[in-house]
Amino acid sequence: DYAQTQAWAETINGLEGLGSEMPSFATADFLNAVREMPDLDIACTTQSFGNTSEWLQALAKGKELGMKLWYYNGGHPAHGVTCTEGDAVSFRTIPWAMYKHNIELYFYWMSTYYTNYQGGEGQFSVFTRAMTFGKHQSDSETMGQDGWMYGNGDGVLLYPGTDKLFPEDDYGAWGPF
């Protein structure tokens, strides 16, 4: 809800004292953030295709407004991914593009997503199943298992070294992998 987020950002900016220094943050498409939420301090955008000149104009407008652009997750084919089936260079393309366009921060959505609540599931062992996010809805010869927001390893940057919930997958390591 861009109007609500704009209202919150405007309220924060209008506060007196230290409260006005608290930055407002939203995960939102940067083009829409510049147009619809000009008082937002940090727009954290995710994957997108688009017209290069339109994005460069939005970056200039965002800078003029004092809005910072941060980056949030990824997805093929627009750019690199954090999922386990990505090529070895896939994840490395994200900081390269951020450097090229002077984006200062990468917001990693989740590093221990062991409960696929968005896919309507409970807790699961990250060592016995590749899918960590989304829903398995179909199987095909070309795509393999697929479905709504289907992701293998998405949201799992750290794997549990000790697992009390699934003791058969407990490696007995003190700390994560």
Side-chain angles (χ1 to χ4, degrees):
D1 184 346
Y2 295 131
Q4 181 65 65
T5 304
Q6 168 59 19
W8 287 333
E10 199 172 356
T11 298
I12 291 169
N13 290 343
L15 293 173
E16 294 184 21
L18 289 176
S20 66
E21 295 179 29
M22 181 176 70
S24 54
F25 170 94
T27 54
D29 176 84
F30 189 67
L31 300 177
N32 289 328
V34 169
R35 281 191 298 265
E36 307 290 333
M37 302 178 287
D39 287 301
L40 187 67
D41 294 313
I42 303 165
C44 194
T45 195
T46 188
Q47 66 189 27
S48 188
F49 292 101
N51 180 298
T52 303
S53 63
E54 187 179 8
W55 272 84
L56 292 175
Q57 287 173 10
L59 283 169
K61 180 67 175 175
K63 187 177 265 190
E64 181 183 306
L65 293 168
M67 185 183 296
K68 291 182 179 181
L69 170 62
W70 289 0
Y71 187 71
Y72 170 61
N73 285 5
H76 280 150
H79 44 73
V81 296
T82 60
C83 297
T84 53
E85 70 269 14
D87 295 331
V89 299
S90 186
F91 192 43
R92 290 186 275 169
T93 65
I94 296 170
W96 174 83
M98 290 173 58
Y99 174 78
K100 182 177 179 183
H101 295 288
N102 200 30
I103 299 170
E104 70 181 61
L105 193 130
Y106 178 73
F107 178 72
Y108 193 82
W109 162 74
M110 179 68 80
S111 62
T112 56
Y113 190 72
Y114 307 148
T115 304
N116 186 10
Y117 67 90
Q118 291 179 332
E121 300 178 350
Q123 295 176 318
F124 58 91
S125 171
V126 294
F127 293 109
T128 59
R129 178 177 100 174
M131 186 190 85
T132 54
F133 185 84
K135 283 188 179 203
H136 175 217
Q137 295 173 309
S138 64
D139 293 291
S140 75
E141 288 187 28
T142 48
M143 294 295 292
Q145 292 183 341
D146 198 17
W148 174 83
M149 299 293 287
Y150 190 101
N152 292 330
D154 193 9
V156 182
L157 187 61
L158 303 170
Y159 287 75
T162 302
D163 195 333
K164 300 298 182 194
L165 188 60
F166 298 99
E168 65 277 9
D169 296 325
D170 187 341
Y171 282 80
W174 198 51
F177 296 117

